[in-house]
PDB file of all heavy atoms in Angstrom:
ATOM      1  N   LYS A 346      21.765   2.575   1.765  1.00  0.00           N
ATOM      2  CA  LYS A 346      21.642   3.981   1.564  1.00  0.00           C
ATOM      3  C   LYS A 346      21.243   4.272   0.176  1.00  0.00           C
ATOM      4  O   LYS A 346      21.752   3.703  -0.820  1.00  0.00           O
ATOM      5  CB  LYS A 346      22.959   4.723   1.882  1.00  0.00           C
ATOM      6  CG  LYS A 346      22.868   6.178   1.946  1.00  0.00           C
ATOM      7  CD  LYS A 346      24.173   6.795   2.375  1.00  0.00           C
ATOM      8  CE  LYS A 346      24.005   8.333   2.525  1.00  0.00           C
ATOM      9  NZ  LYS A 346      25.206   8.955   2.959  1.00  0.00           N
ATOM     10  N   ARG A 347      20.174   5.079  -0.006  1.00  0.00           N
ATOM     11  CA  ARG A 347      19.669   5.445  -1.335  1.00  0.00           C
ATOM     12  C   ARG A 347      19.347   6.907  -1.359  1.00  0.00           C
ATOM     13  O   ARG A 347      19.167   7.536  -0.356  1.00  0.00           O
ATOM     14  CB  ARG A 347      18.333   4.690  -1.585  1.00  0.00           C
ATOM     15  CG  ARG A 347      18.509   3.200  -1.687  1.00  0.00           C
ATOM     16  CD  ARG A 347      17.157   2.563  -1.935  1.00  0.00           C
ATOM     17  NE  ARG A 347      17.216   1.150  -2.190  1.00  0.00           N
ATOM     18  CZ  ARG A 347      17.263   0.213  -1.295  1.00  0.00           C
ATOM     19  NH1 ARG A 347      17.306   0.459  -0.039  1.00  0.00           N
ATOM     20  NH2 ARG A 347      17.359  -1.108  -1.697  1.00  0.00           N
ATOM     21  N   SER A 348      19.316   7.506  -2.590  1.00  0.00           N
ATOM     22  CA  SER A 348      18.984   8.865  -2.741  1.00  0.00           C
ATOM     23  C   SER A 348      18.258   9.125  -4.035  1.00  0.00           C
ATOM     24  O   SER A 348      18.405   8.354  -4.962  1.00  0.00           O
ATOM     25  CB  SER A 348      20.199   9.807  -2.552  1.00  0.00           C
ATOM     26  OG  SER A 348      21.088   9.500  -3.646  1.00  0.00           O
ATOM     27  N   ILE A 349      17.468  10.165  -4.078  1.00  0.00           N
ATOM     28  CA  ILE A 349      16.749  10.564  -5.222  1.00  0.00           C
ATOM     29  C   ILE A 349      16.917  12.090  -5.358  1.00  0.00           C
ATOM     30  O   ILE A 349      17.003  12.819  -4.381  1.00  0.00           O
ATOM     31  CB  ILE A 349      15.236  10.171  -5.255  1.00  0.00           C
ATOM     32  CG1 ILE A 349      14.522  10.675  -4.010  1.00  0.00           C
ATOM     33  CG2 ILE A 349      15.071   8.736  -5.501  1.00  0.00           C
ATOM     34  CD1 ILE A 349      13.048  10.462  -4.002  1.00  0.00           C
ATOM     35  N   VAL A 350      16.964  12.550  -6.585  1.00  0.00           N
ATOM     36  CA  VAL A 350      17.072  13.982  -6.892  1.00  0.00           C
ATOM     37  C   VAL A 350      16.000  14.292  -7.908  1.00  0.00           C
ATOM     38  O   VAL A 350      15.785  13.582  -8.860  1.00  0.00           O
ATOM     39  CB  VAL A 350      18.479  14.359  -7.479  1.00  0.00           C
ATOM     40  CG1 VAL A 350      18.540  15.836  -7.795  1.00  0.00           C
ATOM     41  CG2 VAL A 350      19.584  13.966  -6.496  1.00  0.00           C
ATOM     42  N   GLY A 351      15.290  15.409  -7.659  1.00  0.00           N
ATOM     43  CA  GLY A 351      14.272  15.819  -8.623  1.00  0.00           C
ATOM     44  C   GLY A 351      13.708  17.171  -8.273  1.00  0.00           C
ATOM     45  O   GLY A 351      14.029  17.824  -7.243  1.00  0.00           O
ATOM     46  N   SER A 352      12.888  17.675  -9.132  1.00  0.00           N
ATOM     47  CA  SER A 352      12.190  18.910  -8.921  1.00  0.00           C
ATOM     48  C   SER A 352      11.293  18.801  -7.682  1.00  0.00           C
ATOM     49  O   SER A 352      10.786  17.703  -7.411  1.00  0.00           O
ATOM     50  CB  SER A 352      11.317  19.224 -10.141  1.00  0.00           C
ATOM     51  OG  SER A 352      10.413  20.197  -9.869  1.00  0.00           O
ATOM     52  N   VAL A 353      11.066  19.833  -6.970  1.00  0.00           N
ATOM     53  CA  VAL A 353      10.226  19.788  -5.753  1.00  0.00           C
ATOM     54  C   VAL A 353       8.784  19.463  -6.075  1.00  0.00           C
ATOM     55  O   VAL A 353       8.026  18.993  -5.265  1.00  0.00           O
ATOM     56  CB  VAL A 353      10.307  21.096  -4.917  1.00  0.00           C
ATOM     57  CG1 VAL A 353      11.630  21.296  -4.313  1.00  0.00           C
ATOM     58  CG2 VAL A 353       9.840  22.269  -5.677  1.00  0.00           C
ATOM     59  N   GLY A 354       8.396  19.630  -7.361  1.00  0.00           N
ATOM     60  CA  GLY A 354       7.073  19.258  -7.746  1.00  0.00           C
ATOM     61  C   GLY A 354       6.889  17.820  -8.273  1.00  0.00           C
ATOM     62  O   GLY A 354       5.853  17.355  -8.570  1.00  0.00           O
ATOM     63  N   THR A 355       8.042  17.091  -8.318  1.00  0.00           N
ATOM     64  CA  THR A 355       8.018  15.705  -8.775  1.00  0.00           C
ATOM     65  C   THR A 355       7.208  14.856  -7.787  1.00  0.00           C
ATOM     66  O   THR A 355       7.348  14.960  -6.577  1.00  0.00           O
ATOM     67  CB  THR A 355       9.450  15.176  -8.843  1.00  0.00           C
ATOM     68  OG1 THR A 355      10.197  15.959  -9.735  1.00  0.00           O
ATOM     69  CG2 THR A 355       9.455  13.714  -9.357  1.00  0.00           C
ATOM     70  N   LYS A 356       6.401  14.009  -8.356  1.00  0.00           N
ATOM     71  CA  LYS A 356       5.585  13.042  -7.569  1.00  0.00           C
ATOM     72  C   LYS A 356       6.400  11.860  -7.197  1.00  0.00           C
ATOM     73  O   LYS A 356       7.031  11.308  -8.055  1.00  0.00           O
ATOM     74  CB  LYS A 356       4.306  12.595  -8.278  1.00  0.00           C
ATOM     75  CG  LYS A 356       3.452  13.750  -8.757  1.00  0.00           C
ATOM     76  CD  LYS A 356       2.376  14.046  -7.687  1.00  0.00           C
ATOM     77  CE  LYS A 356       1.346  15.044  -8.275  1.00  0.00           C
ATOM     78  NZ  LYS A 356       0.388  15.388  -7.384  1.00  0.00           N
ATOM     79  N   VAL A 357       6.369  11.455  -5.918  1.00  0.00           N
ATOM     80  CA  VAL A 357       7.023  10.257  -5.432  1.00  0.00           C
ATOM     81  C   VAL A 357       6.021   9.473  -4.616  1.00  0.00           C
ATOM     82  O   VAL A 357       5.024  10.013  -4.143  1.00  0.00           O
ATOM     83  CB  VAL A 357       8.296  10.580  -4.562  1.00  0.00           C
ATOM     84  CG1 VAL A 357       9.376  11.205  -5.458  1.00  0.00           C
ATOM     85  CG2 VAL A 357       7.948  11.461  -3.400  1.00  0.00           C
ATOM     86  N   TYR A 358       6.327   8.196  -4.414  1.00  0.00           N
ATOM     87  CA  TYR A 358       5.462   7.289  -3.696  1.00  0.00           C
ATOM     88  C   TYR A 358       5.877   7.263  -2.234  1.00  0.00           C
ATOM     89  O   TYR A 358       7.147   7.190  -1.971  1.00  0.00           O
ATOM     90  CB  TYR A 358       5.311   5.930  -4.255  1.00  0.00           C
ATOM     91  CG  TYR A 358       4.491   5.898  -5.521  1.00  0.00           C
ATOM     92  CD1 TYR A 358       5.066   5.821  -6.745  1.00  0.00           C
ATOM     93  CD2 TYR A 358       3.121   5.902  -5.394  1.00  0.00           C
ATOM     94  CE1 TYR A 358       4.269   5.782  -7.888  1.00  0.00           C
ATOM     95  CE2 TYR A 358       2.276   5.842  -6.543  1.00  0.00           C
ATOM     96  CZ  TYR A 358       2.910   5.823  -7.761  1.00  0.00           C
ATOM     97  OH  TYR A 358       2.115   5.763  -8.870  1.00  0.00           O
ATOM     98  N   VAL A 359       4.985   7.216  -1.311  1.00  0.00           N
ATOM     99  CA  VAL A 359       5.252   7.115   0.148  1.00  0.00           C
ATOM    100  C   VAL A 359       4.538   5.814   0.573  1.00  0.00           C
ATOM    101  O   VAL A 359       3.376   5.670   0.355  1.00  0.00           O
ATOM    102  CB  VAL A 359       4.752   8.345   0.921  1.00  0.00           C
ATOM    103  CG1 VAL A 359       4.897   8.136   2.400  1.00  0.00           C
ATOM    104  CG2 VAL A 359       5.375   9.589   0.435  1.00  0.00           C
ATOM    105  N   PRO A 360       5.253   4.900   1.252  1.00  0.00           N
ATOM    106  CA  PRO A 360       4.654   3.649   1.716  1.00  0.00           C
ATOM    107  C   PRO A 360       3.808   3.935   2.931  1.00  0.00           C
ATOM    108  O   PRO A 360       4.073   4.810   3.686  1.00  0.00           O
ATOM    109  CB  PRO A 360       5.822   2.733   2.050  1.00  0.00           C
ATOM    110  CG  PRO A 360       6.902   3.725   2.515  1.00  0.00           C
ATOM    111  CD  PRO A 360       6.718   4.933   1.621  1.00  0.00           C
TER     112      PRO A 360
END
Side-chain angles (χ1 to χ4, degrees):
K346 189 173 183 180
R347 295 178 171 86
S348 63
I349 52 174
V350 178
S352 163
V353 293
T355 301
K356 301 268 188 182
V357 292
Y358 285 103
V359 175

